[in-house]
Amino acid sequence: MIRTHAIPGAAALALALSCSAALAHHPGATANSGSAGPINTISASTLEQGRFAASVTYELIKIDAFSDAELAAYSGADQHVHSMSRILAPALGLAYGVTNDLTVSLRLPYVKRSDIREAAHHDEEHGHGGHEENHGSALARGDSAGIGDLTVLGQYRFLNNRASGTELAALAGFKAPTGRTGVRDDHGEIFEAEFQPGSGAWDGLVGLAATQRLGAVSL
C-alpha cells in the first residue's frame, strides 16, 4: 500500500487534513472514477433562492513513492508496478440557489500527476540453452496534466428542523467526460487511464448529506 496525504483548501481559507490509502500498483487517486482518494464531505445546508456562490479549492496528495531500486525489483519479479510523487488538483466551483431548498453546483478541476514511473523489464538470452533472464529497471515517464471531468450536482434539502438544528439533503448529479484522455508521456506513449486527467466516461452521482448544528458549531 501507499500512504497518501490530502490537503483540501477553500476560498474561505478553511483548511482540513485527511488521509487515505491508494493501491500502490496503479495509484490514480483524485478525479478518477473507481480509484482511491480522500473523502470530502459537504454540508446539507443550501443556498438561499437566487443566490450565487463561487469557490476555488486546491487539493494536494503527496504519495510515498517507490524508489528506482524498488521498481527495478518489482520489474525483476515481472510485476507491472507504477509510482508517482504527488497529485495537484485545483478546481473552480459555482453554485446557484434555485429555491431555498434546492441548489445546483458545477465543479471543474485541473489535474496534474507528477513524476510517474513504472517497473520496466528487458529479456535477454543467455547460455547454450537460450535461457531468458529478466533484468529489471525503472522507467521515468514524466508528468500528466490537463483539465479534468466536469461535475454537476443537485442538492435538495428535504429536512430543515430549526428547533433541533438538523438538516438532511439528497444529492444527485453526474460527471461529464470533459477531461483530457490522450496525454502522452516523455517517450510519446499514451498514459494508462488511471493517469489521465479525465476518465472518458459518464458517471452518475447519488448521496446524502446530514448537518447537525450545535450552537456556533455544526457537524
Side-chain angles (χ1 to χ4, degrees):
M1 301 292 288
I2 280 182
R3 296 184 301 276
T4 63
H5 305 279
I7 305 177
L13 299 183
L15 186 66
L17 178 66
S18 61
C19 297
S20 64
L23 291 179
H25 286 230
H26 296 279
T30 186
N32 282 89
S33 62
S35 57
I39 299 175
N40 298 316
T41 63
I42 66 174
S43 169
S45 301
T46 52
L47 289 175
E48 295 180 3
Q49 183 175 2
R51 292 290 184 91
F52 283 94
S55 67
V56 177
T57 61
Y58 185 89
E59 186 173 63
L60 165 64
I61 300 178
K62 184 177 180 182
I63 299 176
D64 293 339
F66 288 127
S67 66
D68 287 348
E70 289 173 314
L71 287 174
Y74 280 117
S75 176
D78 202 24
Q79 297 187 41
H80 192 58
V81 177
H82 287 91
S83 179
M84 62 182 167
S85 60
R86 70 182 63 85
I87 305 173
L88 300 177
L92 298 177
L94 181 66
Y96 175 70
V98 180
T99 70
N100 287 336
D101 294 314
L102 176 62
T103 297
V104 175
S105 61
L106 307 174
R107 178 181 180 273
L108 184 65
Y110 178 87
V111 184
K112 181 179 180 180
R113 293 175 171 85
S114 301
D115 189 25
I116 300 172
R117 294 172 297 125
E118 69 177 26
H121 69 273
H122 311 279
D123 293 329
E124 297 181 3
E125 290 189 0
H126 295 278
H128 298 289
H131 173 68
E132 287 190 353
E133 183 176 345
N134 187 358
H135 293 275
S137 64
L139 176 65
R141 301 186 62 188
D143 303 339
S144 172
I147 297 297
D149 291 343
L150 174 69
T151 298
V152 180
L153 186 67
Q155 179 179 0
Y156 176 67
R157 183 175 59 183
F158 58 88
L159 175 64
N160 184 18
N161 190 321
R162 297 183 182 277
S164 65
T166 304
E167 296 177 78
L168 295 175
L171 310 174
F174 61 89
K175 182 170 62 64
T178 58
R180 296 182 64 189
T181 57
V183 178
R184 295 179 179 271
D185 65 13
D186 291 346
H187 308 279
E189 299 292 330
I190 294 180
F191 279 112
E192 289 81 356
E194 64 264 30
F195 297 117
Q196 294 291 342
S199 65
W202 290 86
D203 293 296
L205 305 170
V206 293
L208 181 70
T211 294
Q212 179 61 53
R213 301 189 181 279
L214 304 170
V217 179
S218 64
L219 302 175

